[in-house]
Amino acid sequence: MRNKKFNIFLSGLILVLVGWMMKGTFTQPGIDDLKGEFTEVAHYRNENNTGPIQYVFTVTVKDTLWSEMETYGNFKPHHKGGNTKVYFFLKGTAVPNQLSPGKINFEPSYNGACIALYEKSAMGNTSLTKYPFKAPSL
């Protein structure tokens, strides 16, 4: 009788722990929880699976929430040894929908509308550059 009560208690405890872990698994924060109304316009991933993998995204935002932009970039995929870039544009401005690999990822005519660039390097270092195409002040 005592062994049966212990087994029922242990089964209940295991069910509670499994339920708690499932709740934690399915209620993780994500891109949809961020402020700023992020909308992905275009993305590029190179076909080379033997070398560094490059991801490039263009995203529109409602406002210049710099910390939210960095968090958004951290949610984007990244591979060890690869490079991830996210270009941010304000909603209502011209946004490129064709992206290409390399240092220049879209036509230079869109440079003036870009408000930020998030980049995660091959070593895993992240940076958020505000107005990356603006000429430096003297």
Side-chain angles (χ1 to χ4, degrees), residues 23-86:
K23 178 187 176 274
T25 300
F26 293 112
T27 58
Q28 292 292 315
I31 289 176
D32 295 334
D33 298 325
L34 296 175
K35 300 172 187 144
E37 297 178 22
F38 294 91
T39 306
E40 184 178 313
V41 176
H43 70 275
Y44 170 83
R45 181 196 185 276
N46 64 334
E47 298 295 325
N48 185 4
N49 286 327
T50 59
I53 296 174
Q54 183 179 18
Y55 287 103
V56 182
F57 300 91
T58 54
V59 177
T60 61
V61 294
K62 183 180 81 170
D63 196 8
T64 55
L65 301 169
W66 307 116
S67 63
E68 294 287 309
M69 290 181 197
E70 189 164 2
T71 303
Y72 181 90
N74 288 332
F75 279 124
K76 288 303 189 183
H78 179 75
H79 285 85
K80 184 177 179 182
N83 188 1
T84 301
K85 293 181 185 178
V86 183

Side-chain angles (χ1 to χ4, degrees), residues 126-137:
T126 63
S127 67
L128 181 73
T129 307
K130 300 173 186 177
Y131 304 101
F133 302 107
K134 186 176 181 182
S137 310

